């Protein structure tokens, strides 16, 4: 497998202590009018416990839905149609479970959708049908996905302060809006974790889900270190192909899905038990062995411009060997609140056959770090306190990665990966390669 890279430019106290690293400065770029608009609708956002989330299905042509409802609202319903009038709408099966919020979590999946076609859905909100919302089942052959991370609503200050939450929400809404305006045919959004500052906060989660664009675009969410210790993540996700883990977290398991020619493996990187993660990769590759592209999504990065050579040792020893073993082309992460992108890396060295590690900055602008840039594999680091978003565009044998800043919407980085035929391995060969890479990487870190 050859890739050519074209460079164009637990107790809760312990958990919270682990989650709260030294804060950097915020740099919001929204206008006063934008903030006022969020502030005016803030109470409406917070009283709506029934906001719906769209998730990706197992493959293109499948969409998941999840939403909360009050216990006394009765059985929940959702229907889907190919017209706004909801004529001949199809009712979907709804699975319901009780949450720690003393509300019900409702989930449904629409399958067999015609790709490239518009659909509308409506669901029961407080006993009444919602206004129909439109989404497009994108064609998986050529599409764009938008990648962000660390919206982390509540991070820029006192996470219980209304003004702080409004600022973070406004920054996040601006990023989503700009991405959707530049790439209106986006197939789905990706967030590599830390959706909120406090994983138990329903108020912060409703703010994270408030961008109106998320009623029309599925969002793929990884579990961050601010998410894993409470099941709120699961209430607002309907993930396909979840793989059981020995160290399951309250926020759920890793999962995978195929979209077009790309296999996405979404990892709960708070679980650093290597056999757990190996089982996820093994299941994903076995299910879709012929996928042209293999993309990992996780919160913590194995290679970041924020770290020195001797830092982040354990994470690198767990995840990098998996990416080397299973021929991962691109690893998308966050956590460090700054954008950076590596050369292709294999066994700790720059190698065209390796993995490109791309790390997003804070999607809200609420907390931006600076770069140390001491790792020799870093190709580019955007060391400005500005939120960014990244577009992944698949066309033929090319994957074009473009990153934009949210103050001017100017492009700050662009890379194109070109893919040739992938070499297959047997299960034994995968195990031998993983063991070899694990020992080599771990030894180098000592």
């Amino acid at each position: 497998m050859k890739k050519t890279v074209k460079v164009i430019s637990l107790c809760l106290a312990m958990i919270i202590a682990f989650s709260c690293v030294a804060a950097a400065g915020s740099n919001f770029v929204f206008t006063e009018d934008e903030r006022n608009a969020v502030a005016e609708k803030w109470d409406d956002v917070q009283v709506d416990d029934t906001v719906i989330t769209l998730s990706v299905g197992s493959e293109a042509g499948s969409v998941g839905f999840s939403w909360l409802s009050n216990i006394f609202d009765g059985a929940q319903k959702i229907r889907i149609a190919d017209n706004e009038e909801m004529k001949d709408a199809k009712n979907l099966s709804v699975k319901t479970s009780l949450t720690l919020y003393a509300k019900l979590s409702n989930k449904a999946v629409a399958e067999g959708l015609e790709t490239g076609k518009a659909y509308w859905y409506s669901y029961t909100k407080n006993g009444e049908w919602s206004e129909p919302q439109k989404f497009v089942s994108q064609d998986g052959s050529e599409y764009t996905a938008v990648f962000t991370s660390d919206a982390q609503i509540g991070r820029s200050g006192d996470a219980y302060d209304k003004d702080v939450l409004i600022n973070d929400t406004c920054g996040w809404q601006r990023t989503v809006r700009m991405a959707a305006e530049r790439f209106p045919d986006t197939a789905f959004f990706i967030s590599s974790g830390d959706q909120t500052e406090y994983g138990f906060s329903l108020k912060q989660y409703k703010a994270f889900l408030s961008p109106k664009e998320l009623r029309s675009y599925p969002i793929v969410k990884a579990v961050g270190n601010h998410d894993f210790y409470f099941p709120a993540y699961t209430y607002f996700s309907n993930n396909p192909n979840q793989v059981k883990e020995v160290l399951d977290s309250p926020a759920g398991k890793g999962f995978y899905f195929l979209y077009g020619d790309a296999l996405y493996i979404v990892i709960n990187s708070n679980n650093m038990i290597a056999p757990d993660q190996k089982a996820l990769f093994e299941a994903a590759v076995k299910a879709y062995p012929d996928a042209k592209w293999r993309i990992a999504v996780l919160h913590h990065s194995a290679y970041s411009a924020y770290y020195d050579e001797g830092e982040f040792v354990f994470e690198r020893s767990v995840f990098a060997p998996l990416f080397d073993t299973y021929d991962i082309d691109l690893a998308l992460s966050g956590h460090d609140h700054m954008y950076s992108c590596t050369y292709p890396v294999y066994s700790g060295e720059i190698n065209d056959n390796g993995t490109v590690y791309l790390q997003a900055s804070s999607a809200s602008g609420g907390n931006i770090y600076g770069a140390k840039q001491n790792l020799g594999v870093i190709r580019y680091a955007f060391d400005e306190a500005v939120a960014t978003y990244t577009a992944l565009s698949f066309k033929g044998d090319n994957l074009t990665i473009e990153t934009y800043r949210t103050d001017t919407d100017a492009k700050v980085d662009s890379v194109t990966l070109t893919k040739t035929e992938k070499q297959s391995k047997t299960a034994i060969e995968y195990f031998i390669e993983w063991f070899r890479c694990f020992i080599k990487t771990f030894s180098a870190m000592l």
Side-chain angles (χ1 to χ4, degrees):
M1 178 188 69
K2 176 88 170 175
K3 286 191 291 289
T4 302
V5 178
K6 262 190 252 176
V7 176
I8 304 176
S9 37
L10 74 111
C11 78
L12 187 59
M14 293 177 63
I15 290 167
I16 292 177
F18 171 72
S19 299
C20 298
V21 296
S26 62
N27 187 31
F28 298 113
V29 299
F30 50 75
T31 67
E32 183 178 356
D33 287 344
E34 288 173 333
R35 190 191 186 282
N36 288 340
V38 173
E40 288 174 4
K41 296 181 180 179
W42 183 255
D43 290 341
D44 293 337
V45 167
Q46 290 303 320
V47 299
D48 184 8
D49 290 334
T50 63
V51 60
I52 197 166
T53 308
L54 277 61
S55 303
V56 295
S58 295
E59 299 183 13
S62 176
V63 176
F65 303 89
S66 52
W67 72 100
L68 297 182
S69 63
N70 294 317
I71 293 177
F72 301 109
D73 282 345
Q76 296 297 292
K77 299 178 182 179
I78 185 169
R79 57 189 182 182
I80 188 170
D82 61 3
N83 59 90
E84 190 173 5
E85 294 74 27
M86 303 301 292
K87 182 180 179 180
D88 299 324
K90 176 184 177 181
N91 291 313
L92 303 178
S93 175
V94 179
K95 295 183 178 179
T96 299
S97 59
L98 185 63
T99 73
L100 294 180
Y101 296 130
K103 300 179 185 296
L104 298 179
S105 173
N106 308 285
K107 300 181 188 295
V109 178
E111 297 180 300
L113 303 178
E114 184 178 338
T115 57
K117 184 174 180 178
Y119 289 89
W120 283 258
Y121 67 90
S122 177
Y123 66 108
T124 49
K125 291 170 63 76
N126 302 315
E128 299 181 357
W129 286 106
S130 67
E131 289 294 322
Q133 296 283 344
K134 177 184 176 182
F135 71 94
V136 177
S137 178
Q138 295 290 348
D139 184 352
S141 59
E142 294 182 358
Y143 66 93
T144 295
V146 171
F147 168 58
T148 65
S149 188
D150 295 87
Q152 208 161 340
I153 307 300
R155 182 61 173 176
S156 65
D158 180 352
Y160 294 101
D161 184 84
K162 179 178 177 179
D163 287 335
V164 168
L165 297 178
I166 289 175
N167 286 337
D168 292 351
T169 302
C170 189
W172 167 235
Q173 287 189 5
R174 179 185 174 96
T175 297
V176 173
R177 181 176 65 254
M178 293 180 74
E181 288 176 351
R182 180 175 283 275
F183 300 98
D185 294 329
T186 291
F188 53 88
F189 278 74
I190 302 171
S191 170
S192 64
D194 283 3
Q195 282 68 233
T196 63
E197 174 68 2
Y198 296 147
F200 53 81
S201 173
L202 182 56
K203 178 180 291 187
Q204 292 173 16
Y205 242 108
K206 286 189 285 190
F208 172 77
L209 296 175
S210 67
K212 61 182 178 56
E213 292 81 5
L214 297 185
R215 307 293 80 76
S216 298
Y217 294 105
I219 182 167
V220 176
K221 304 187 296 293
V223 176
N225 57 296
H226 287 256
D227 306 313
F228 79 97
Y229 57 85
F230 191 83
Y233 169 96
T234 65
Y235 305 154
F236 301 104
S237 305
N238 195 353
N239 299 328
N241 304 319
Q242 298 183 54
V243 176
K244 182 173 176 55
E245 301 172 356
V246 173
L247 188 61
D248 275 353
S249 78
K253 311 170 181 63
F255 63 99
Y256 62 89
F257 64 96
L258 183 76
Y259 208 96
D261 290 331
L263 169 61
Y264 295 82
I265 305 173
V266 185
I267 305 166
N268 174 7
S269 59
N270 300 281
N271 178 358
M272 295 188 189
I273 297 180
D276 265 357
Q277 304 298 357
K278 184 177 180 298
L280 172 61
F281 279 74
E282 192 75 35
V285 170
K286 183 178 179 180
Y288 299 107
D290 299 324
K292 180 183 296 184
W293 298 97
R294 294 177 182 175
I295 298 173
V297 181
L298 69 164
H299 186 60
H300 303 86
S301 178
Y303 294 96
S304 165
Y306 185 67
Y307 289 99
D308 291 321
E309 191 70 42
E311 295 180 295
F312 228 52
V313 172
F314 192 58
E315 291 84 348
R316 196 174 306 153
S317 68
V318 171
F319 298 118
L322 286 169
F323 301 158
D324 292 345
T325 301
Y326 291 94
D327 299 322
I328 300 301
D329 302 295
L330 177 66
L332 302 173
S333 67
H335 187 62
D336 295 324
H337 297 212
M338 60 157 297
Y339 175 85
S340 65
C341 185
T342 71
Y343 297 100
V345 180
Y346 183 87
S347 290
E349 299 177 355
I350 298 173
N351 185 314
D352 282 348
N353 291 311
T355 302
V356 171
Y357 293 81
L358 188 145
Q359 177 177 268
S361 67
S362 164
S364 64
N367 191 224
I368 306 284
Y369 297 163
K372 295 180 180 177
Q373 303 183 44
N374 289 338
L375 292 178
V377 299
I378 301 297
R379 178 187 60 78
Y380 176 76
F382 180 61
D383 196 19
E384 294 187 39
V386 178
T388 61
Y389 65 90
T390 298
L392 314 175
S393 298
F394 296 84
K395 186 174 183 179
D397 290 331
N398 294 328
L399 166 53
T400 301
I401 305 167
E402 298 175 312
T403 299
Y404 297 84
R405 55 193 299 158
T406 60
D407 53 354
T408 63
D409 207 28
K411 188 187 300 184
V412 298
D413 191 28
S414 181
V415 173
T416 296
L417 308 184
T418 301
K419 194 63 178 295
T420 57
E421 186 177 356
K422 185 181 294 292
Q423 301 297 317
S424 61
K425 299 185 182 79
T426 66
I428 295 298
E429 287 173 329
Y430 274 128
F431 177 78
I432 293 172
E433 178 71 1
W434 170 77
F435 187 74
R436 184 193 69 78
C437 291
F438 178 82
I439 294 298
K440 180 176 180 180
T441 305
F442 186 72
S443 298
M445 296 297 103
L446 296 178

